[in-house]
Amino acid sequence: MEYKGFALDRFQEEAITAINQDHSVIVTAPTGAGKTVIAEYAVEKCLQTNKRVIYTAPIKALSNQKYRDFQSEYGDKIGIVTGDVVLNPYAQVLLMTTEIFRNIIFDDIERLQDVSYVIFDEIHYINDIERGTVWEESIIFAPQHIKFVCLSATIPSINSFAEWIRSVREIDIAVVEELERPVPLEHHLYFQGFGIGKLGHLYDLRQIAKRRKRKKKDQSDDTAKKLKSIINTELIPYLHKQNRLPCLYFCFSRKRCESNAHYYASSGQHELLDPEKQAQILEKFDALCIQFDIVKEKVITDFRQLISCGIAYHHAGMLPTLKEVVERLFTSGLIQLLFTTETFAVGINMPACTVVFDSLEKFDGVSYRYLKAREYHQMAGRAGRRGIDDVGYVYAKVAPKYATPDDVSRTISNSIEPITSQFNLSYSSILNLYEKYGDEIYDVYTMSLSNHQNYKRIADLNKQIDQIDERRKALPLPTCIHENIEGMKQIESYQRHKHKNQKNLERLQLELASLQSLRGKSKKIERSKRTTLIQSKMQSLHAELAKNLCHECSERKQCTKRYQSIRKQEHYIQNLRRKQTSIQDYQQGQIAARLKVLEKLGYIEAQTLLPRGNTASHIYGYELQLTQLLYSGFFERLTEDEINCLMVAIVSEPRKGVYFKKITDKRLLSILGAAWDEILDIQGLESQLNVSEFVPLLEPRLCSAMLAWSHGCQFDKLTDYAALDPGDFVRTFRLVIDQLGQIRRAMAGHTALTDKLNRCIEKINRDVVDAERQLRIGQEEPFEEEDSAQSPVPHNSN
């Protein structure tokens, strides 16, 4: 079978056959295998049959890229709706983030009546701790006539995942799994201080590193033997010499990306581009900088020097426009060495010949940990360009002195961790579902992937309980030598009384010890009386225990041992049953707790949404904080600049060790203090009702920067107010715009307030913050890319 002039692979044919049969389909195939062609076919089929299709992506950058790709081919039939951009929102093909799709389901489900297919790119994001619930809600609550195309490179136990989708959808879903990569990968380790080797070398190198640390001499013959098969070389020069560039070099901090790029560019040892290609890349870089209007940005001069060496970096702290320039240059095949964070591994079709990991450990916000196998393979999958490379190469840098073979082996293993449900209904989701289902909202949880997976967990626990119970039943019972007495009950009674008496004796001994502090003649008399009384009680306890038949029994030791063995197994069973109860009741308990919070705050009553509840149901993210502040009159009393400052304090995340200019305006400080108290009241109620995750408090560190921006300051002056990367300013300000837009929609009909919110947005949405402007100018091509040395075979892009 051919599509767009290319012969399709088996798995592509299977998926397209399912689409032609009007089925849903879930496809898992390695990065670069060609999953995107399946989505493209679904889009084209919908266009031909005059049906609508929605393409969802986990990140806005991927939505933007897909929009440009489709728009260049299909023109005004393509639209995009994200929190940043709305272009042609009623187009036949709509690109959007998964959150927007979920919001449409709850806000205006009628808009989806003529949608035939929804494409979920990177469906494994359902496993994401913070956002996974959005994918789950989308699959459960989308209209039943909608079919899905689910794409991922990493879904272990795909059949179990498909079973859950079948359980909540009326249209059957076909499963297509491809395990073979079109470009096979070679995996290597780069041992710092030694060279390129394999996992088997790690144990020996650890021993050598330890001896070096203790300043012990190595046995030269032994060392030479162990290092014989290790290629002793610097990594980047080796890759260059072996013609294994371009290279994606993954670092897990922005500073490492930048410092590595500057190190390799300034060392002068690595001539990665010849003069002709150097001229080409600079010409393209300059043209793109003009196109995106970033020529005058401070970083451009230094960045141009990196580019001239065929080197660049890419991370979330950069200006979005500069990131896009880097992405476009990388697709040209002229950037030979790109240092990037892991976000570059998600969705964007930019493969390389080689992938390097600066480390197999990363800081996850709490502590350093080894990469999960899923994370490793997602990034490693960028190696190997179909139609260009016969083999893709992966190198992971390891420090033998610290790395353990087990940790490294677990990370690079082919055993990918299973997807785990992150179902966790937000207040706005609960409000929307409560309006539709009332008290039957608890039944919604039974449709979740979490509940589906819990059936297996509970079944596994039942199996463990049965096994332990069988072992318990096989244990010998205590047998009493006294006539007509059941041994188990007798020894159990003795143990219970013994435990109780021991506790009482310990208490009396503490009382006795405390009497030693009494001094003086009168106190000595009192001490003597109390000591006599305590000793009498202790003798009484000993006497009471001695009356028991087991006390002096010759068989007591054996009976006690049998009793404790049985009780140990029963204790295991009790713990497993408690775990079962926790699994079964946790989600329903959290829904109940949040409903109680909403009831106490006046959002719901008698299965009906009250005005506050109706408002909050249209706001996704910070819905309780924003609704409480709205109904307390904050947005009516404040100026546009003050609203913008309050909003940035709501959406910002805490940042430790970051310089920021403190707010001195007393009125603004008073506003933030009053808002803080409002949110603190919500937290107090959540704590009282045992909600597991509280709404976040304000983070005011960017308020001075937002105030300056809202007043019209230049973007490059924002660092006077907070020591933040440019990309962080842009991302946070765009998030404020998104939330203001949601409030505006929720308060439709309140003309004075919506007009004020429009003015708030206008004050923020300018220059580099304006995402729609970036997308529009990005559609203009300053140079032709048909001659790209890196362009992969189109239908096999990922």
Side-chain angles (χ1 to χ4, degrees):
M1 181 178 179
E2 286 194 355
Y3 177 64
K4 292 187 175 181
F6 295 98
L8 296 179
D9 293 336
R10 174 203 57 81
F11 82 95
Q12 294 168 327
E13 289 187 11
E14 287 183 19
I16 286 173
T17 298
I19 292 170
N20 286 334
Q21 293 172 345
D22 285 332
H23 290 169
S24 292
V25 61
I26 178 170
V27 181
T28 178
T31 302
K35 295 183 293 296
T36 300
V37 69
I38 298 163
E40 291 172 352
Y41 183 86
V43 167
E44 191 164 296
K45 183 185 178 188
C46 289
L47 287 170
Q48 290 173 350
T49 56
N50 204 30
K51 300 286 180 65
R52 293 183 68 217
V53 58
I54 290 175
Y55 193 120
T56 77
I59 59 174
K60 292 172 184 175
L62 183 54
S63 295
N64 292 345
Q65 184 194 54
K66 294 297 182 186
Y67 170 76
R68 285 192 297 267
D69 292 345
F70 285 129
Q71 205 270 342
S72 65
E73 186 169 359
Y74 301 114
D76 60 6
K77 292 182 179 179
I78 310 299
I80 183 170
V81 181
T82 67
D84 297 333
V85 179
V86 177
L87 292 175
N88 201 9
Y90 296 98
Q92 195 173 349
V93 181
L94 266 184
L95 284 299
M96 61 180 63
T97 57
T98 314
E99 278 85 354
I100 295 293
F101 176 65
R102 188 275 312 270
N103 298 352
I104 291 173
I105 292 172
F106 286 148
D107 282 344
D108 190 7
I109 200 168
E110 294 300 317
R111 284 180 58 189
L112 303 175
Q113 288 308 307
D114 59 348
V115 172
S116 179
Y117 268 96
V118 171
I119 298 160
F120 290 109
D121 205 352
E122 309 286 352
I123 187 68
H124 57 268
Y125 258 75
I126 203 167
N127 192 72
D128 185 81
I129 292 175
E130 294 182 355
R131 301 172 60 206
T133 187
V134 173
W135 275 259
E136 214 162 321
E137 292 171 40
S138 297
I139 289 171
I140 294 170
F141 302 117
Q144 285 291 342
H145 73 275
I146 290 178
K147 301 173 283 290
F148 297 144
V149 174
C150 304
L151 306 175
S152 175
T154 50
I155 304 183
S157 306
I158 188 173
N159 289 317
S160 175
F161 183 62
E163 280 176 19
W164 166 67
I165 296 181
R166 291 188 185 106
S167 72
V168 297
R169 305 299 300 174
E170 293 175 359
I171 296 171
D172 195 18
I173 184 163
V175 175
V176 177
E177 187 173 18
E178 175 58 60
L179 300 177
E180 295 297 320
R181 285 181 54 88
V183 180
L185 297 183
E186 280 188 14
H187 294 266
H188 303 270
L189 298 178
Y190 181 79
F191 300 108
Q192 296 172 26
F194 296 96
I196 300 167
K198 295 288 186 180
L199 182 62
H201 294 110
L202 182 54
Y203 176 79
D204 292 333
L205 290 176
R206 278 171 57 82
Q207 301 308 310
I208 293 170
K210 286 178 182 177
R211 288 203 294 274
R212 287 181 179 177
K213 185 179 180 181
R214 295 193 296 265
K215 297 182 179 179
K216 288 187 176 182
K217 290 184 178 180
D218 293 320
Q219 298 296 325
S220 57
D221 292 342
D222 184 48
T223 302
K225 184 177 178 182
K226 289 176 178 177
L227 299 181
K228 187 175 180 181
S229 58
I230 291 180
I231 303 172
N232 188 3
T233 180
E234 287 189 38
L235 185 55
I236 300 304
Y238 174 81
L239 297 179
H240 188 205
K241 185 177 180 181
Q242 296 294 319
N243 197 27
R244 294 181 182 178
L245 299 178
C247 168
L248 280 176
Y249 196 119
F250 286 106
C251 306
F252 298 112
S253 83
R254 300 174 184 180
K255 286 184 179 178
R256 287 290 292 170
C257 287
E258 295 187 20
S259 62
N260 277 332
H262 284 108
Y263 168 76
Y264 283 103
S266 63
S267 65
Q269 300 175 12
H270 318 296
E271 296 293 336
L272 304 182
L273 296 178
D274 60 36
E276 182 182 349
K277 288 186 176 180
Q278 187 179 62
Q280 288 177 16
I281 197 171
L282 287 175
E283 180 185 354
K284 295 187 178 192
F285 176 75
D286 292 341
L288 285 166
C289 288
I290 292 169
Q291 179 186 357
F292 285 100
D293 194 21
I294 56 174
V295 175
K296 296 181 180 179
E297 294 296 331
K298 290 180 180 178
V299 72
I300 294 301
T301 302
D302 286 341
F303 210 90
R304 192 176 190 276
Q305 181 60 39
L306 291 176
I307 291 295
S308 69
C309 300
I311 296 172
Y313 58 83
H314 182 286
H315 59 67
M318 297 165 59
L319 279 174
T321 42
L322 182 54
K323 282 201 302 180
E324 189 164 338
V325 168
V326 173
E327 291 162 12
R328 294 192 180 204
L329 288 175
F330 191 77
T331 60
S332 75
L334 291 171
I335 291 180
Q336 299 299 292
L337 191 53
L338 179 61
F339 296 92
T340 180
T341 52
E342 59 192 301
T343 53
F344 205 83
V346 180
I348 299 174
N349 175 35
M350 294 184 190
C353 179
T354 299
V355 161
V356 172
F357 291 85
D358 194 49
S359 171
L360 289 178
E361 294 180 88
K362 73 171 187 178
F363 185 72
D364 62 6
V366 179
S367 61
Y368 282 93
R369 65 167 176 82
Y370 274 84
L371 296 176
K372 295 178 180 178
R374 179 188 302 107
E375 295 169 321
Y376 171 81
H377 285 285
Q378 181 75 27
M379 288 180 267
R382 292 292 163 196
R385 300 160 296 175
R386 188 168 185 177
I388 300 175
D389 302 316
D390 295 326
V391 176
Y393 300 93
V394 183
Y395 297 85
K397 295 179 75 172
V398 172
K401 186 165 66 172
Y402 304 108
T404 64
D406 285 347
D407 287 329
V408 174
S409 175
R410 196 178 301 113
T411 293
I412 65 177
S413 166
N414 286 322
S415 299
I416 309 297
E417 300 86 1
I419 281 177
T420 303
S421 170
Q422 305 298 335
F423 191 71
N424 183 26
L425 293 175
S426 64
Y427 285 106
S428 58
S429 294
I430 287 174
L431 286 164
N432 280 287
L433 295 171
Y434 187 74
E435 183 177 33
K436 184 174 181 179
Y437 297 103
D439 288 339
E440 294 178 1
I441 188 174
Y442 298 102
D443 294 337
V444 169
Y445 170 68
T446 64
M447 296 188 287
S448 69
L449 176 60
S450 173
N451 189 58
H452 182 80
Q453 292 177 334
N454 283 344
Y455 279 129
K456 186 178 186 311
R457 293 190 187 107
I458 291 170
D460 289 343
L461 289 171
N462 276 329
K463 188 175 179 180
Q464 289 183 54
I465 289 170
D466 290 342
Q467 289 172 346
I468 294 171
D469 202 34
E470 286 299 316
R471 289 200 297 269
R472 181 190 64 81
K473 289 176 181 177
L475 292 171
L477 295 172
T479 53
C480 192
I481 61 174
H482 304 284
E483 292 184 6
N484 300 320
I485 295 178
E486 186 179 332
M488 187 67 184
K489 287 184 178 179
Q490 180 61 31
I491 192 68
E492 189 174 48
S493 173
Y494 176 75
Q495 291 290 331
R496 187 168 58 251
H497 281 90
K498 181 181 176 184
H499 179 73
K500 178 182 176 183
N501 285 358
Q502 282 176 336
K503 288 289 183 184
N504 288 331
L505 285 169
E506 288 171 6
R507 180 178 55 79
L508 292 170
Q509 285 169 349
L510 287 172
E511 288 184 28
L512 199 61
S514 68
L515 295 176
Q516 300 305 313
S517 63
L518 297 176
R519 296 288 185 269
K521 187 175 180 180
S522 61
K523 290 185 177 180
K524 283 183 179 179
I525 294 171
E526 181 185 350
R527 183 176 65 185
S528 177
K529 288 180 180 179
R530 288 175 63 183
T531 299
T532 303
L533 180 62
I534 289 170
Q535 289 173 340
S536 174
K537 287 182 179 179
M538 293 172 75
Q539 289 172 1
S540 176
L541 288 172
H542 284 299
E544 182 184 341
L545 194 61
K547 291 177 184 178
N548 194 290
L549 293 174
C550 298
H551 188 64
E552 297 293 340
C553 181
S554 60
E555 299 295 320
R556 180 165 63 86
K557 187 174 182 181
Q558 182 190 60
C559 287
T560 298
K561 187 176 180 180
R562 291 181 176 183
Y563 167 79
Q564 289 174 341
S565 296
I566 292 168
R567 279 289 175 255
K568 186 177 181 180
Q569 299 300 315
E570 289 177 344
H571 182 66
Y572 287 156
I573 291 171
Q574 287 171 1
N575 283 341
L576 290 173
R577 284 184 174 149
R578 277 195 290 269
K579 191 173 182 180
Q580 273 187 329
T581 302
S582 175
I583 289 172
Q584 290 170 328
D585 298 344
Y586 174 77
Q587 286 289 354
Q588 290 94 327
Q590 284 302 301
I591 293 171
R594 291 183 178 179
L595 280 171
K596 199 67 179 175
V597 168
L598 293 168
E599 184 181 350
K600 293 275 189 183
L601 291 174
Y603 285 59
I604 58 175
E605 184 180 78
Q607 300 191 38
T608 303
L609 298 194
L610 299 176
R612 287 181 189 235
N614 185 60
T615 299
S617 71
H618 292 88
I619 301 173
Y620 300 94
Y622 315 101
E623 57 269 27
L624 247 56
Q625 302 98 303
L626 292 172
T627 302
Q628 289 298 96
L629 295 175
L630 275 166
Y631 279 79
S632 295
F634 277 75
F635 285 77
E636 292 170 340
R637 295 195 303 269
L638 305 187
T639 67
E640 288 85 351
D641 296 328
E642 290 167 345
I643 288 174
N644 289 342
C645 287
L646 176 60
M647 290 298 299
V648 83
I650 290 172
V651 307
S652 294
E653 296 180 356
R655 297 175 183 273
K656 293 182 180 179
V658 174
Y659 162 78
F660 65 99
K661 189 173 182 179
K662 293 182 179 179
I663 303 163
T664 56
D665 185 280
K666 290 183 179 179
R667 173 178 160 83
L668 190 52
L669 287 170
S670 175
I671 291 165
L672 293 172
W676 181 284
D677 290 339
E678 290 271 359
I679 298 170
L680 203 59
D681 287 342
I682 301 173
Q683 281 197 351
L685 191 55
E686 289 177 317
S687 176
Q688 178 187 334
L689 295 170
N690 297 317
V691 174
S692 61
E693 296 178 17
F694 298 171
V695 298
L697 290 168
L698 299 181
E699 173 48 72
R701 296 190 179 209
L702 290 184
C703 287
S704 57
M706 172 58 87
L707 186 61
W709 182 252
S710 191
H711 282 159
C713 87
Q714 295 298 309
F715 187 80
D716 61 1
K717 297 295 182 183
L718 287 176
T719 49
D720 294 342
Y721 301 92
L724 221 61
D725 286 336
D728 293 326
F729 281 121
V730 172
R731 185 169 52 259
T732 305
F733 290 178
R734 286 179 178 179
L735 182 55
V736 170
I737 292 168
D738 184 9
Q739 292 297 141
L740 286 169
Q742 291 190 46
I743 299 170
R744 180 179 58 190
R745 186 180 67 248
M747 301 303 290
H750 299 263
T751 307
L753 180 56
T754 54
D755 286 347
K756 181 186 279 190
L757 293 172
N758 283 333
R759 293 194 295 273
C760 289
I761 292 171
E762 287 171 6
K763 282 176 167 281
I764 306 172
N765 197 34
R766 59 185 175 85
D767 297 340
V768 294
V769 176
D770 188 344
E772 184 174 320
R773 173 178 173 271
Q774 179 186 339
L775 186 61
R776 286 186 184 278
I777 62 178
Q779 290 176 257
E780 304 165 5
E781 290 297 341
F783 52 82
E784 295 296 323
E785 295 191 32
E786 284 79 1
D787 61 339
S788 167
Q790 185 165 333
S791 298
V793 178
H795 88 281
N796 287 316
S797 63
N798 188 49

